[in-house]
Amino acid sequence: MFHGSIPALVTPFKNGAVDKKAFAELVERQIASGSAGLVPVGTTGETSTLSTDEHKAVVSLCVEVAAGRVPVIAGAGSNSTDEAIDFVGHAKAAGADAALVVCPYYNNPNQDGLYAHFKAINDAVAMPVVLYNVPGRTIVDLQPATVAKLARLPNIVGIKDATGDMARVSQHAALIGEGEQFVQLSGDDPSALGHLAMGGAGCISVTANVMPEACAAMHKAFQAGDFETAQTIERRLIALHKSMFCSPSPGPAKYVLNRLGLCEPDVRLPLTPPDPAAHEQIDAAMALAGLHA
């Protein structure tokens, strides 16, 4: 259902508010550049500092602008199960193709609690759900055995795995079983090519915000069996992948987009923009990638 390069879209701000015009233009740029899907209001979209109304408005705008040309996987996670159900229900009503639901953060549930959280969402809303495991942000780690158990539920269709552990792809597949439709997406740009080689289908990407054509080309080359071209593109991008996290994300991505004249560099507190040392690292990575402002 979902594959290839799928940007985790930034949410541009201007004068403290969501810049809807800039966001719509970013969506159009992604579609024109060959991205295979869109993820609004995920981690990179600063969902944790958006109000509920802003969150829902950005999802609705993304669906409206995409107009069915590429699938929209709407960020819909929360550390409150009831709130996550509300976001998933809104994503369905807005016309999104799936919801991306992160593991509950801060609460630190065990595996039973994680299963119960996702099962409650599965039972409440008849909509495809992509699990999102990112222990570096949530503290909890959705274990492969729990993923396999969740995959048996009718609305759980895949996972975005941001652990960087490529062995997870094989572990999930082995536990879920051959022939089952369960999409595995990387959430870690530097290991995305390795994730594909292990059997993954694509990447929900930060770097695709700034170099969508190259990210899409890497995935298309791999899917076509042209591993040499995929490796060549990845070597060109690797410094840029790393630079996207040299300062709290999405600050670096917004810095590049601002240099390209596509949106303001603003992030919301408690995030702050990249400092001059980070600018130097990002600028050097842009030059290596062949990205010129």
Side-chain angles (χ1 to χ4, degrees):
M1 184 183 298
F2 307 114
H3 66 278
S5 178
I6 304 171
L9 296 166
V10 302
T11 302
F13 301 123
K14 188 173 184 179
N15 299 323
V18 174
D19 188 342
K20 294 181 179 180
K21 180 177 182 292
F23 181 81
E25 291 171 352
L26 291 175
V27 168
E28 289 289 0
R29 175 176 180 255
Q30 290 293 336
I31 294 171
S33 299
S35 294
L38 301 166
V39 173
V41 292
T43 305
T44 310
E46 293 177 80
T47 182
S48 58
T49 53
L50 296 180
S51 70
T52 298
D53 287 346
E54 288 174 326
H55 178 118
K56 293 179 177 180
V58 172
V59 169
S60 295
L61 180 58
C62 187
V63 172
E64 178 187 342
V65 176
R69 290 174 289 172
V70 296
V72 173
I73 308 171
S78 172
N79 67 327
S80 161
T81 303
D82 286 345
E83 185 175 48
I85 289 170
D86 178 57
F87 282 146
V88 174
H90 172 266
K92 180 179 180 179
D97 298 277
L100 179 68
V101 182
V102 71
C103 291
Y105 41 88
Y106 187 76
N107 311 65
N108 197 20
N110 60 18
Q111 296 301 303
D112 288 342
L114 290 171
Y115 177 82
H117 173 79
F118 288 112
K119 185 178 187 301
I121 295 166
N122 171 87
D123 294 348
V125 186
M127 181 183 196
V129 168
V130 177
L131 310 170
Y132 178 16
N133 189 30
V134 55
R137 290 185 180 271
T138 65
I139 301 176
V140 295
D141 184 2
L142 190 64
Q143 292 296 310
T146 308
V147 173
K149 187 178 177 184
L150 287 166
R152 301 186 190 106
L153 300 175
N155 296 318
I156 307 298
V157 301
I159 187 169
K160 172 187 175 182
D161 188 283
T163 64
D165 179 2
M166 289 173 284
R168 293 279 177 112
V169 187
S170 296
Q171 288 178 292
H172 293 152
L175 290 167
I176 292 167
E178 296 294 331
E180 295 297 323
Q181 294 294 315
F182 188 78
V183 179
Q184 297 200 59
L185 302 169
S186 171
D188 178 58
D189 277 302
S191 62
L193 182 55
H195 191 276
L196 289 173
M198 296 292 285
C203 179
I204 295 178
S205 167
V206 176
T207 306
N209 278 284
V210 300
M211 288 197 75
E213 299 96 338
C215 289
M218 189 276 282
H219 285 268
K220 289 172 183 175
F222 183 89
Q223 290 158 3
D226 187 354
F227 307 128
E228 185 174 349
T229 295
Q231 289 173 332
T232 298
I233 296 170
E234 187 62 11
R235 289 173 190 140
R236 177 182 154 208
L237 293 176
I238 189 63
L240 194 62
H241 293 330
K242 295 289 190 180
S243 76
M244 289 297 97
F245 292 90
C246 70
S247 180
S249 179
K254 285 187 167 182
Y255 167 76
V256 176
L257 290 171
N258 180 251
R259 286 201 60 197
L260 296 175
L262 297 172
C263 73
E264 297 298 319
D266 305 10
V267 291
R268 279 188 176 169
L269 292 171
L271 299 186
T272 56
D275 62 20
H279 291 172
E280 290 184 11
Q281 182 176 339
I282 299 163
D283 290 346
M286 288 174 65
L288 287 170
L291 180 60
H292 304 290

